[in-house]
Amino acid sequence: MLLLHKLRLLLQKLGFSMLNLKLISDSLNIIVCFHVPHSMDHQELNIWSFWKGGLSWSTSLNPSIFLLYLIHFGAVYYALVCPRPPPTATPEQIRLFKKFTEPSLLRGRASIKGKTVREAQKTFRITRVDEFMEVGTYLRVHVHPKRFPRCYEIDWKSRIIAVRESYVVLDKPAGTSVGGTTDNIEESCATFATRALGLTSPLWTTHQIDNCTEGCIILARTKEYCSVFHRKIREKKVKKLYLALAAAPVPIGIITHYMRPINMAPRLVSEDCIDGWNLCQLEVLECREVPWPVADIEAKYSIEECGWPSKKKAYECKINLLTGRTHQIRAQLADCGAPLVGDSMYMPAAVAETTNPGLNPFGKCQKQYTSEEDKEMDVTEWIARHGKEPAVAIGLQAYEISWDAGEHVYNAGIPWWKQEQL
């Protein structure tokens, strides 16, 4: 909190007025009110040293340097015009908003000439420390970016599967982000793979897999090939096969669910076709019994204790992903009573439903509700039975990716749960 206070003072000194329009503890929302002459010395940013400082953002860190790190991480955004404050905004925040969005003032700003207010309120990431922010510009500063310390533990060159003229194939480690997050584009597979290969142009993200999933991803070497690969995905020319380590056996064949169209975790699914919900399909090609991972391997990959009653046997499933929804394999297998090993988000809810059938308002043993209010209450309680996102790995690997009818085929290495067999 002390460092945050120092950062506030620094920004105020530089002519920024704190709005906190979103009222979110991890972001500052600011309007540039005036300019003062100021220069910031060039600093050699030691990201590894910064990480070693921990997640608490040491109060000994100079606020100016801290701000440089936030810009380097991609945690600072701007919009030419401030968005409308929320209902919780204070009278002073409302006053400042009205002052800097006054039509007569906006008409005098050359930067927004020819733009609608909605267009001018679109946010963009600040990428340089010397970018000029004119009076009236809105800034959003994410003061606690999501961190990915595992990036510094990986031998990235050893994770490169193939380098081609148009793309790079990477065996993504679990516990890393493919292309970064809203507040951290520094600690990502795309960034570290670019550096490992010594490329002068950054690699482009063509598709995503969860942070806790390992395996094959395709990174485009140009913006043009990124568009080409996106089109292949849309045209269903890309095939993805997964290895899933489930806590219980899964039936062979196609499994169909429907996913609630709300873009937040946990993802809720139902075997019943519900109006407006998205079709989810996967095909289980194989399911074989294997030993549960040994304790040393679980510790190495931070596999979390999720309350599964027996840890003698697990089940390795080969899965053809027919639709590509976020968390699809995790949510579908959990609904089948076979959550993935280490999945601290979905396994606790699966255990609860197994112990007390009927808790899941969309499950096989769902209740018959007499009112929508009762059902919404149970939905809220069901969501609360899910846990947090896994810290590093779960039993899921994107083990093969292919496209153009098998013309291009790439495979990942040995999944983490088989490492003790090497």
Side-chain angles (χ1 to χ4, degrees), residues 5-297:
H5 176 66
K6 287 181 179 179
L7 181 60
R8 285 174 179 268
L9 293 178
L10 171 68
L11 291 168
Q12 287 172 335
K13 184 178 179 181
L14 297 181
F16 301 136
S17 176
M18 300 296 150
L19 286 185
N20 285 327
L21 291 178
K22 274 193 166 183
L23 300 180
I24 297 177
S25 60
D26 282 349
S27 67
L28 297 176
N29 296 265
I30 302 158
I31 284 182
V32 180
C33 291
F34 57 89
H35 285 295
V36 295
H38 181 80
S39 64
M40 194 172 283
D41 295 335
H42 172 75
Q43 300 286 337
E44 190 67 34
L45 301 183
N46 186 336
I47 300 298
W48 170 240
S49 175
F50 188 44
W51 164 249
K52 293 276 283 188
L55 292 172
S56 58
W57 314 99
S58 170
T59 55
S60 63
L61 188 65
N62 184 304
S64 296
I65 306 303
F66 178 57
L67 193 55
L68 287 175
Y69 276 111
L70 292 178
I71 292 172
H72 182 78
F73 269 61
V76 184
Y77 291 77
Y78 78 93
L80 295 173
V81 175
C82 181
R84 181 169 296 278
T88 51
T90 66
E92 175 62 12
Q93 291 166 355
I94 298 288
R95 185 189 70 78
L96 283 171
F97 169 75
K98 289 181 176 179
K99 175 182 176 181
F100 289 100
T101 56
E102 183 70 33
S104 59
L105 180 65
L106 295 181
R107 282 195 296 269
R109 292 179 58 188
S111 62
I112 61 175
K113 190 173 182 179
K115 295 183 175 67
T116 65
V117 172
R118 183 180 294 274
E119 289 172 338
Q121 289 175 331
K122 185 177 179 179
T123 57
F124 298 90
R125 180 179 273 119
I126 292 179
T127 57
R128 304 194 324 269
V129 298
D130 60 349
E131 285 195 43
F132 178 77
M133 297 288 107
E134 66 178 335
V135 171
T137 301
Y138 165 79
L139 295 179
R140 185 176 74 242
V141 183
H142 296 265
V143 293
H144 294 294
K146 180 177 175 60
R147 303 301 300 273
F148 295 92
R150 189 155 158 72
C151 285
Y152 307 100
E153 304 168 5
I154 303 300
D155 175 6
W156 287 91
K157 284 188 177 180
S158 72
R159 307 294 299 201
I160 304 295
I161 298 172
V163 180
R164 300 291 182 263
E165 182 180 352
S166 301
Y167 60 87
V168 170
V169 187
L170 178 73
D171 189 354
K172 173 192 173 296
T176 61
S177 168
V178 175
T181 60
T182 301
D183 50 17
N184 186 350
I185 56 173
E186 162 62 26
E187 296 168 333
S188 70
C189 292
T191 297
F192 277 75
T194 298
R195 290 178 187 156
L197 293 169
L199 302 178
T200 55
S201 298
L203 293 167
W204 293 72
T205 301
T206 65
H207 63 108
Q208 296 282 349
I209 59 177
D210 291 347
N211 297 342
C212 53
T213 302
E214 63 181 18
C216 295
I217 60 168
I218 306 301
L219 299 170
R221 298 187 66 171
T222 64
K223 184 178 181 180
E224 291 71 25
Y225 190 76
C226 188
S227 298
V228 168
F229 202 82
H230 283 163
R231 185 170 64 251
K232 292 181 186 296
I233 293 174
R234 287 195 303 272
E235 294 173 353
K236 300 189 182 301
K237 293 181 179 179
V238 180
K239 183 177 181 180
K240 301 175 186 177
L241 298 179
Y242 285 78
L243 286 180
L245 189 67
V250 182
I252 303 296
I254 293 177
I255 298 176
T256 301
H257 284 85
Y258 297 86
M259 182 176 286
R260 188 174 70 151
I262 294 182
N263 188 28
M264 61 189 306
R267 306 297 172 130
L268 303 186
V269 296
S270 172
E271 290 185 351
D272 298 330
C273 182
I274 301 176
D275 187 39
W277 286 35
N278 298 316
L279 174 68
C280 292
Q281 284 189 318
L282 58 81
E283 182 181 12
V284 180
L285 304 174
E286 298 176 12
C287 182
R288 64 189 187 92
E289 183 181 302
V290 296
W292 193 281
V294 299
D296 287 349
I297 293 297

Side-chain angles (χ1 to χ4, degrees), residues 361-374:
F362 304 109
K364 296 181 179 68
C365 302
Q366 61 185 272
K367 304 173 186 174
Q368 297 300 314
Y369 294 96
T370 56
S371 71
E372 281 300 315
E373 289 78 8
D374 289 345

